[in-house]
Each structure stands twice: as structure tokens, then as C-alpha cells.
Amino acid sequence: MFHARRSGRFLSALVGGALVLSGCGIGESGSAASKPVSSGARSITYAYEQEFHSYNNNTAAENATRNAGPLQRVLTGFWFYGENGEITADRDFGRYVKTSDDPLTVEYTINPKAVWSDGTPIDCDDVLLWWGFKSGKIKGFSTSGTTGVEDTELPACEKGGRSFSLVYDKPFADWIAGGPGATELLPAHVVARQGGLSEDEFIAAIKARDARKLERAIKFFNDGWVSEVSLPPAELIPSSGPYKLSKMDTGQSLTFVANDRWWGTPAATPTVIERFITLDEQAQALHNREVQIIEPQPGPGVLKDLERIEGVRVNVADQYTYEHLDFNVDSSPFRDRRLRQAFAKCVPRQLIVDSLIKPVIPDAKPLEIRNVAPFQANAAAVIAASGGAGVYAKQDIEGARALVARAGKTGVQVKIGYQTPNPRRTVEVQLIIDACNKAGFEVVDKGSDDFFGTVMPANGYDVALFAWSASSLVSGWSSTYTTPKKCDSENKGNNNGCYSSARVDRLIRKLNATVELDAQIPIIGAIEKQLWADVATIPLFQHSTLSAWDESIRNVVPNPAQSTITWNMDRWSLN
């Protein structure tokens, strides 16, 4: 997920599966300033709209699909989002099994062959680093979410050990994705060294939760892996998967090469290249065979363009990602709920869907709920339990104008932020401007090319337009609506606008402890009902995924979850 496809398990991230920010938009074909893939090359090139930014996608600032997608087969773990987005155990990495329900206990064993690409064994040191940032129990670590792990004891794991258990103090519905999954386990030996600590000192400090001793290490964890111009030195970014990061050419591409220390099935293709190509140029780039795989956002123009390209397979499918407006309730006019209500009434949700989505997905409708996708089996039941969008189901300009006037804020300026370039979102914003200015707002387009990088983390917007890239895990969106400890980039997790509701907090805790699927429905319904009552966010529409690839490439399998099409890129091969 940043798109926000946010890369965290709702990418931004879940415990095993947080929401991830996703930055998709519709694309029409155009020219692409890139060099063609050479004939007979022993490499495969795919396109992505945003530039890779960090080897660590687990922090609140970097939890996005621009990072999580490329890292799927670089940083492996006990599980990943496999075919159809299903939680899939990674048997190459290790094994895990639930051994007790009371207390809930899950035992994990790392493959004894597992090593980082620098030769360092993957072991309990790395697990303790993961628990240190993921549990939220050590001050200073930035994390996109703690759900589930915050309810576990410190693993009884010693230096060099390969086995450990997670023992929960309450039931956890998504325990199957509770341990470290793909992209989550990071090299503790690198963090310790950069923190000026021996591995023994580092592990002792983690066990003691000694934030002062860990201060330099935490700073490196939070910021040291960010790639502003080029990749960090190779010794700082070892791989635990079939590929390792090789080089990044700013504004152009990210190159992966096969990891010769990988202990599993070798990568089918020696080199894979991610090209940074905007959505409106991807179809043309595929037509020119400058790239061989693309995932542009669906649109009638780009779909027609792709269907005309000879030798290309085109796929349109359901996706867990959804588009929404996220209010900044911490430091904007939308602290006033009446203005949030007015904005929800004036946003032309039906017109947005009719104009931009229905030409590709004829039966598309505005979303009534946020946290269950329309294609999921429990969607209708959750809508019934929540009451759906209620008074916000239909646009009401007069009602919106009355609320703005009652608040004494006629003419109030509203800054809409989003990641550019993004043709579809630019159109969405213009439709919102046309409608909501009639209701007494002065809406201003504040799209920027570093919205996810600097504007959103600093809450420099009034309302944000983006998408969450999610999964079927109920715990995935917990950090998106849970009251943050503090409204800053370190503590707010995926709750970018710093929404707070004691009732929603209680319901989320109850939901995450509810294992029975049918029993989850009324709880999710109650959460959705409260989110509408508070107008925490405005859901717009469910994304579909559009992908296309050269028929000469085998084993390309689109994925509806936040892992993106790269989930199995080590199996991609040339005919």
C-alpha cells in the first residue's frame, strides 16, 4: 500500500496485516520516457507509479505499498498474502502452530537454514527486534500498528535461538497472521551495530525495554533505511528472500538480483526491475515493451488501450483496496463535527462513481461501509447491522449549507491533499470542489508530489483523498481508528487524522478478541455505525485491480491484497 496503497496490513499495516497506504489513480495512455527492454534480456521489468522509499515499511511514515510491494520477496517471514489474498504460511522461512487456546499460544520455528544475505543467521535476535517495535512497549519506535502483538508477552527467546512462542493475554481473532510476516522481520545485527551496541547489549536492552540504551538504534530503525537519492549501503540492507535489492536510480528504477544465499527454490529470473512510471504512461510503456507488467488504475480509456495491444493479457478483478476521504480532526476546521457532517452531505459520491468507476465496473456503487469489501461474504450482513451510510447515502447540498451556516463557517477554506500526479484523483477533487463550494465551503486542490512523504505525516491537510490497501483480516484496520497515544508521526500509526472515540476503541478491542466469524458481524456493524455518526471518514468506492502483462511472461498472478502483483515475482519467468 503511498497508494496509500498504504503498505501496512490495512498497508498503511495490520498486525500481520495492517492497512497500507495506496496511491492509485486512473491512467490513460500517453508517452513514457523510458528505454525499451532489450530483446532476449535475462530480466523482467514491471511498472509502479511511485518511487521506492524505504527498506523498512513498518514505521508509521513508511507504511505504504510503494515500499511493501517491492519488498515482498526480499524480506520474508512466517506468512504472506498468497493467491487470492489468502494468509499463506511460508514453509521456506519456518513453521508455526497454535498449541493452546487458554492462554492463546502459538509456537514458531525458524528454518535452521535461514540466513541473511550477508551470512548472519536469522534467529531470535531478529524476532526480539520485531517484538520491540511491534508491541508498542518500547518508547520511541515508530510503528504502523501494534494490534495483537501488544497483547503478547516478551518471547522467551535467547540469542542464537530459532524457536519461540507468542503467548497472548486474551484471544486474538487473527492469530494466524500474528507473528512476523513478509516485510516485517528486519536484521537486528544491523540495527544493533548502527546503535553502537553489541548484539548482547542490544538484546538485553530490548528485554529490559530500555529506550534510553536503545536511543541511537531506535533512531536508525525509524529513519536510517530511508532511500532519498539511492539505496543505503549493501551491508545495511541484507535480504532474507529470493531477491536482494541491488541499486536504485532516482526517479527511474529499482533493481533486484537473485540472492545467492537464499536457501529455498532459486528465483526463476536472475534480475527483476521496477520502473517508476506514472499511471497515465504505463499502457504506452507496455505497448512499447519498455516494461512487461503493469498495474494501472482502471479507467475506460486505459482498458481500451490495453485490449488493443497484441500479445498482452489483461485482467480486471476485485481488490481489497478502497478510496476514501480522511479528515484531519486534530488541527483543521474539521475538528467541528458539524463541518464533517456538511462535507459528507455535499461530496458527490454517486457522481464520482458514475463518472469514473462505472465505465469499467458497471455495477459499482458508492461504499456504505469501510472495513468489509463488497465482495466479502459478510458484507450485506454488516451493512444491515450498521444501517449503511444513512443520511449520507444521497447528496444533500441544502442540508450541507445549513450545517455550515449553523457552525458560523460559511466560506471556510478546506484544503484537499492527495499524492500527484494522479489524473483520477484530480478529477475527483474537481467534482468535490464544484459540489461543496455550493454548500458554503471554499475547497482548494492541494495535491502534491510528496503528500505521503511530508504533508500527511505532519497533518498538513484538512481532508486527505487516498486509498487503503487491505486484506480479509479483521485486525488489519485497528490502528486506523484506534485513538493514538499522541498525534504525531511516531505514535499515530495509521490513524493519520487522529480520530478518537472511546466507544470505537472498546469495540475494536472486542472485535480483535472475537474468533467466531458470525459473532464479528454485529461488532463490525456497531463500529461502522459509530464511524458514520462521528463522520470519521467518508468512504467513496471499492477499487478493482487492472493488470496487464506480456504473454511471454509466465506465472504472473494478480493479488487482491496489499502484497500487490509482486507477491510471487520470484516465480516470474520468460518463455
Side-chain angles (χ1 to χ4, degrees):
M1 292 176 96
F2 328 60
H3 219 41
R5 287 174 198 188
R6 232 183 167 186
S7 146
R9 291 164 185 176
F10 218 154
L11 220 180
S12 245
L14 310 172
V15 158
L19 288 181
V20 177
L21 280 178
S22 174
C24 295
I26 242 169
E28 307 297 336
S29 64
S31 61
S34 54
K35 295 180 180 179
V37 175
S38 59
S39 177
R42 292 296 297 150
S43 65
I44 293 173
T45 302
Y46 73 97
Y48 189 67
E49 61 174 308
Q50 295 179 57
E51 189 165 352
F52 179 76
H53 200 247
S54 181
Y55 169 84
N56 180 7
N57 76 288
N58 298 284
T59 67
E62 296 297 337
N63 176 231
T65 48
R66 66 175 177 178
N67 300 320
L71 292 170
Q72 291 297 308
R73 303 306 290 153
V74 172
L75 296 173
T76 59
F78 284 100
W79 63 272
F80 58 95
Y81 295 108
E83 194 161 1
N84 299 317
E86 298 294 330
I87 302 301
T88 305
D90 190 333
R91 300 299 188 188
D92 285 324
F93 187 86
R95 304 296 175 100
Y96 64 105
V97 60
K98 183 173 71 170
T99 57
S100 171
D101 285 314
D102 188 18
L104 174 60
T105 304
V106 185
E107 294 185 357
Y108 297 81
T109 302
I110 299 169
N111 189 328
K113 298 179 181 179
V115 294
W116 294 99
S117 56
D118 62 9
T120 304
I122 299 173
D123 56 26
C124 283
D125 297 9
D126 308 306
V127 172
L128 291 175
L129 169 61
W130 169 81
W131 187 90
F133 76 79
K134 198 69 176 175
S135 66
K137 295 180 180 179
I138 301 178
K139 185 178 180 180
F141 278 114
S142 176
T143 181
S144 56
T146 63
T147 307
V149 184
E150 65 188 355
D151 299 321
T152 65
E153 301 172 4
L154 176 76
C157 200
E158 299 305 320
K159 181 181 177 182
R162 302 268 188 162
S163 296
F164 66 97
S165 296
L166 288 181
V167 181
Y168 295 80
D169 61 20
K170 61 184 68 172
F172 180 49
D174 290 331
W175 68 265
I176 194 169
T183 81
E184 291 189 331
L185 208 65
L186 295 160
H189 63 288
V190 171
V191 177
R193 186 168 63 244
Q194 294 300 306
L197 302 171
S198 69
E199 290 185 47
D200 285 336
E201 290 172 327
F202 179 76
I203 295 308
I206 290 284
K207 289 185 175 183
R209 306 182 193 181
D210 189 341
R212 180 172 296 182
K213 185 78 170 179
L214 292 165
E215 184 176 0
R216 285 176 57 193
I218 290 171
K219 180 172 177 53
F220 174 80
F221 176 89
N222 292 345
D223 305 319
W225 278 311
V226 171
S227 304
E228 291 290 359
V229 177
S230 61
L231 291 176
E235 62 267 23
L236 300 185
I237 53 171
S239 167
S240 61
Y243 282 110
K244 57 185 178 181
L245 300 177
S246 175
K247 67 173 182 174
M248 186 175 82
D249 294 321
T250 304
Q252 294 295 316
S253 64
L254 178 69
T255 300
F256 309 82
V257 296
N259 176 11
D260 56 6
R261 301 300 294 265
W262 170 243
W263 59 93
T265 303
T269 300
T271 303
V272 171
I273 301 168
E274 178 185 84
R275 287 293 311 278
F276 311 135
I277 299 177
T278 59
L279 293 164
D280 58 339
E281 294 182 333
Q282 288 189 14
Q284 188 66 41
L286 179 61
H287 180 271
N288 296 342
R289 295 310 194 268
E290 297 157 2
V291 297
Q292 293 144 304
I293 303 169
I294 65 173
E295 279 192 294
Q297 193 66 16
V302 72
L303 181 59
K304 289 178 182 177
D305 288 343
L306 292 173
E307 289 173 340
R308 289 196 293 262
I309 302 175
E310 189 173 342
V312 164
R313 291 192 60 185
V314 180
N315 180 271
V316 179
D318 290 328
Q319 190 177 33
Y320 282 106
T321 302
Y322 78 93
E323 191 93 343
H324 79 295
L325 290 160
D326 190 340
F327 291 110
N328 173 6
V329 297
D330 177 66
S331 55
S332 86
F334 288 121
R335 295 182 69 174
D336 187 332
R337 188 176 67 165
R338 292 170 298 181
L339 292 183
R340 300 199 301 274
Q341 292 171 329
F343 206 71
K345 284 178 176 288
C346 70
V347 169
R349 299 195 312 139
Q350 187 67 58
L351 179 60
I352 289 170
V353 171
D354 290 346
S355 303
L356 301 174
I357 309 305
K358 279 193 174 183
V360 179
I361 310 296
D363 59 351
K365 298 177 181 179
L367 285 179
E368 296 190 70
I369 53 177
R370 303 152 183 81
N371 301 311
V372 176
F375 55 84
Q376 289 182 255
N378 60 342
V382 170
I383 291 171
S386 68
V391 297
Y392 305 109
K394 293 184 179 181
Q395 187 184 32
D396 179 5
I397 297 293
E398 291 302 319
R401 184 183 296 114
L403 283 167
V404 174
R406 195 177 307 157
K409 293 295 179 70
T410 299
V412 63
Q413 186 179 93
V414 170
K415 301 186 296 292
I416 296 188
Y418 62 102
Q419 184 78 20
T420 60
N422 194 308
R424 179 169 75 189
R425 292 210 172 110
T426 297
V427 174
E428 288 179 60
V429 169
Q430 189 57 55
L431 292 175
I432 292 169
I433 289 172
D434 292 344
C436 290
N437 282 6
K438 296 174 184 176
F441 292 101
E442 182 190 338
V443 184
V444 180
D445 184 332
K446 285 293 183 179
S448 61
D449 60 7
D450 197 31
F451 180 74
F452 291 129
T454 61
V455 180
M456 178 175 277
N459 278 25
Y461 63 94
D462 297 325
V463 62
L465 174 61
F466 65 98
W468 280 124
S469 185
S471 71
S472 60
L473 297 173
V474 297
S475 64
W477 38 270
S478 296
S479 72
T480 307
Y481 299 109
T482 296
T483 301
K485 296 176 182 177
K486 188 177 180 182
C487 190
D488 59 26
S489 59
E490 180 183 306
N491 293 287
K492 65 183 180 179
N494 282 339
N495 191 345
N496 294 289
C498 299
Y499 165 75
S500 177
S501 165
R503 183 166 188 265
V504 170
D505 291 346
R506 290 193 298 271
L507 287 167
I508 285 175
R509 289 194 294 271
K510 183 178 180 182
L511 174 65
N512 290 337
T514 302
V515 177
E516 180 60 43
L517 296 180
D518 287 345
Q520 294 173 357
I521 290 172
I523 305 173
I524 300 173
I527 292 171
E528 290 285 356
K529 186 174 183 177
Q530 189 64 50
L531 293 177
W532 273 120
D534 294 337
V535 199
T537 62
I538 303 174
L540 296 175
F541 56 83
Q542 195 74 23
H543 284 215
S544 58
T545 179
L546 172 61
S547 51
W549 60 93
D550 190 305
E551 288 181 342
S552 67
I553 309 299
R554 293 193 299 265
N555 299 322
V556 177
V557 182
N559 194 306
Q562 59 204 44
S563 51
T564 76
I565 205 167
T566 59
W567 72 277
N568 74 331
M569 72 177 185
D570 56 311
R571 297 297 91 214
W572 295 349
S573 64
L574 295 157
N575 282 328

